Amino acid sequence: PEHKVRIVDAWKAQGKVVGMTGDGVNDAPVLAAADIGMAMTDGTSTAASESAQVVIMNDDIASVPRAIAIARRTKKVMLQAVLVGLGLAVIGMIAAAFNLIPVVVGAFMQEGIDVVSILWALTALWDRE
């Protein structure tokens, strides 16, 4: 495990983002040292799962690309929800600033914008297989 930590540290020193996948106690230091640590465990290896950022609850290496795809989709949907919410809020603030809508209507619009943003973020759950 010591040589794995040295390799990860060397790659990080070069400015690379390092991901490591491991399944046991001996991988815990490397998972902690990596930028993205992925532990593959059936629930028995707590050291690996506690030191990793991602825990895959089976011992199938084919689950790693699926976990990456889920993370990318979640990030995309999250950014969309935030940007849609901010965009609608800015439009509402501009309308309220120029007295195009009453203050009470603006307050209710903000609540609606919050609901839209939350519902948009929940679309990340639709892509489950």
Side-chain angles (χ1 to χ4, degrees), residues 30-95:
V30 186
L31 294 172
D35 293 312
I36 303 168
M38 288 184 270
M40 296 178 50
T41 179
D42 58 358
T44 58
S45 178
T46 57
S49 62
E50 287 180 7
S51 60
Q53 289 81 24
V54 178
V55 178
I56 299 173
M57 295 300 290
N58 61 35
D59 288 331
D60 183 16
I61 193 73
S63 299
V64 173
R66 179 73 179 134
I68 293 170
I70 289 170
R72 286 182 177 156
R73 166 116 171 95
T74 302
K75 180 181 175 183
K76 180 177 129 185
V77 170
M78 180 267 312
L79 285 173
Q80 289 173 349
V82 168
L83 293 176
V84 165
L86 286 174
L88 291 174
V90 167
I91 290 170
M93 284 187 270
I94 291 172

Side-chain angles (χ1 to χ4, degrees), residues 94-103:
I94 291 172
F98 288 106
N99 241 358
L100 299 174
I101 58 172
V103 174

Side-chain angles (χ1 to χ4, degrees), residues 14-25:
Q14 295 174 9
K16 296 179 181 178
V17 176
V18 180
M20 172 65 186
T21 302
D23 64 349
V25 176

